[in-house]
Amino acid sequence: MEPSGFAHWLVVLVETFALLFVMLLVFAVLFVMVVWVTDRNQTHNSVLRNYPVIGHFRYWFLHLGEFFRQYLYSSDREELPFNRAQRMWVYRAAKNSENTNAFGSTRDLHAEGVPFFVNAAFPALGDTHVEPSPVRIGPYAREPYDHAAFFNISAMSFGALSAPAVRALSIGAAKAGIWMDTGEGGLSPYHLEGGCDIVFEIGTAKYGVRTPDGKLDDQKLLAICAHKQVKMVSIKLGQGAKPGMGGLLPAAKVTPEIAAIRGIPAGQDSQSPNRHLDIANVSQLMDAVNHIRDLTGKPTGFKAVFGDMQWIEQLCDEVSKRGIESAPDFIIVDGSEGGTGAAPQTLMEGVGLPLREALPALVNTLIVRGLRERVKVICSGKCIAAYDVAWALSMGADFVNSARGFMLALGCIQSLQCNRNTCPTGITTQNPRLQRGLVVTDKSERVAHYAHNVMHEVGIIAHSCGVDDPRELDRTHCRVMGEDGISVPLIKLFPYPEKVAENV
């Protein structure tokens, strides 16, 4: 009895799959044999030489571990650089969803360094938060800048970030009324697209405003500063992730568009010098600040990572000689906690002062030298939640910048692939397939929500402390948990110094 047509095709299908299985098995055996022989005879890896084939599982598990730990093994408060609780707070703030908790905090409130704010016994009735007032930056510039928002987008370059990421940040920043720092990669059309205020950063390679030999091109700088959105110019001396080292943009990210904006060859690694060619001392830094401010009319300052304040003392001496109008309009202090830029682990973890030391040291130095009101202080370094920002304002910052906070608002999942051009959320990649995952209309709303919610909640803290403006928070309003589990007032840890010199 012959099988029916269906049964016949079923037999053929089973035989085909059986044949494929046998072929796959043979291929797998051959592959394993080749790997075994290769591992056994190579000389550079002792694990694979002693344990051929199975030794590879060690490296697969090491690679997969950083992803599984996020979701399966780590508690809400264990991970670095940002734990799950911190990331979830940012995600909820960016989505403008409910951001309250029940049954108590999972944060260890007795851990060393945790800040607490000193609430007023009788806060003002009615309002639950207070709004910031505008602060003037650059009173001696032709175009001084008045800005109220104290939480803004830190320096991140187009090239390091994708075009959709920059567009979403620009549009979101405009909606939130905050500024966006271009980073050292030059001014792109995507920075301007949203209509937000722009801080133009000049890095050590002077991307976007460079001559062929890497010097400052005044005409290119004038053309950039002709945009009304460009409100300030920042000279980057260093960044928290890699003090004393220039940035590297790998060839895979140097597209023709990025190369044209930066003024460099396409398809080649782009290495920035470790410092500006024309700035080798405090006097030359002052010359650069005054030249750029006089040329463009924009408030001009610099960004640095601090090891000590000795050179800031020298800068104050130089201001005394030249006059108060010669002072930088602002200083951006980047703590060693900075980390958006890819950097050697040694520099990222072992060089430069963290923000909790550098910020009060800078503020105190300016107070002593009579320059605190003249020079505005901007800080950055892992300030992504409201209490981090409120702590920085209490310590003396006028403005707080964040990079990774806004990356999380864009949808970053902390996959730690920023330097590989393989970012799964499309933020730090030039791969069009991966960029497709970042929808600008959606993410720009999240950027705006995140900025609004951080500033709103800082306003809640300020109101609870009994002040009328978040910038009125000072070191008497905050306590920090000590190593013995007892909190200490900031004013005791970092007392305000007396002014001993007047720079006029």
Side-chain angles (χ1 to χ4, degrees), residues 109-129:
L109 300 180
H110 298 284
E112 184 179 2
V114 171
F116 291 90
F117 294 89
V118 181
N119 57 292
F122 307 103
L125 287 173
D127 294 335
T128 59
H129 76 286

Side-chain angles (χ1 to χ4, degrees), residues 462-478:
H463 176 269
S464 179
C465 291
V467 299
D468 296 325
D469 186 302
R471 290 191 180 89
E472 292 181 12
L473 290 169
D474 61 32
R475 298 175 197 177
T476 65
H477 294 115
C478 185

Side-chain angles (χ1 to χ4, degrees), residues 136-260:
R136 171 155 289 194
I137 308 174
Y140 295 96
R142 293 195 302 275
E143 300 178 34
Y145 180 39
D146 297 316
H147 190 66
F150 52 81
F151 187 62
N152 299 277
I153 301 175
S154 194
M156 294 182 284
S157 304
F158 172 55
L161 296 188
S162 66
V166 175
R167 291 175 61 212
L169 289 171
S170 174
I171 296 169
K175 291 178 179 179
I178 64 177
W179 76 53
M180 178 184 187
D181 193 314
T182 64
E184 64 179 311
L187 182 69
S188 74
Y190 313 113
H191 288 108
L192 298 170
E193 181 175 329
C196 68
D197 289 353
I198 296 291
V199 178
F200 179 71
E201 183 178 272
I202 302 176
T204 57
K206 296 183 171 59
Y207 291 129
V209 290
R210 58 184 276 127
T211 62
D213 58 350
K215 296 179 181 178
L216 180 65
D217 188 317
D218 285 355
Q219 295 308 308
K220 289 181 179 178
L221 180 58
L222 277 173
I224 283 175
C225 290
H227 294 284
K228 291 192 176 297
Q229 288 175 239
V230 177
K231 301 297 185 181
M232 301 195 297
V233 179
S234 172
I235 302 171
K236 174 190 169 184
L237 301 183
Q239 67 186 85
K242 45 191 171 188
M245 178 180 178
L248 172 65
L249 189 67
K253 287 189 171 185
V254 187
T255 65
E257 180 184 35
I258 291 168

Side-chain angles (χ1 to χ4, degrees), residues 424-477:
T425 56
I427 299 172
T428 61
T429 178
Q430 301 307 316
N431 184 327
R433 182 183 65 81
L434 295 172
Q435 289 181 4
R436 183 179 179 276
L438 199 160
V439 180
V440 172
T441 52
D442 176 72
K443 301 306 182 185
S444 61
E445 290 290 335
R446 297 192 182 192
V447 167
H449 290 325
Y450 172 57
H452 277 307
N453 283 316
V454 167
M455 289 189 285
H456 180 83
E457 296 206 10
V458 172
I460 291 175
I461 293 173
H463 176 269
S464 179
C465 291
V467 299
D468 296 325
D469 186 302
R471 290 191 180 89
E472 292 181 12
L473 290 169
D474 61 32
R475 298 175 197 177
T476 65
H477 294 115

Side-chain angles (χ1 to χ4, degrees), residues 54-112:
I54 62 172
H56 287 279
F57 285 97
R58 174 181 185 271
Y59 301 102
W60 291 336
F61 291 148
L62 279 174
H63 175 68
L64 292 174
E66 66 187 41
F67 304 107
F68 283 112
R69 278 193 297 272
Q70 286 196 50
Y71 309 108
L72 299 178
Y73 306 122
S74 295
S75 74
D76 285 349
R77 298 286 180 175
E78 282 185 346
E79 294 175 271
L80 292 172
F82 299 100
N83 60 49
R84 185 186 301 140
Q86 291 172 308
R87 298 197 308 273
M88 292 305 298
W89 188 92
V90 174
Y91 294 153
R92 290 195 298 268
K95 294 176 183 178
N96 210 27
S97 59
E98 182 65 35
N99 220 350
T100 58
N101 291 328
F103 211 63
S105 173
T106 61
R107 191 183 194 195
D108 182 359
L109 300 180
H110 298 284
E112 184 179 2

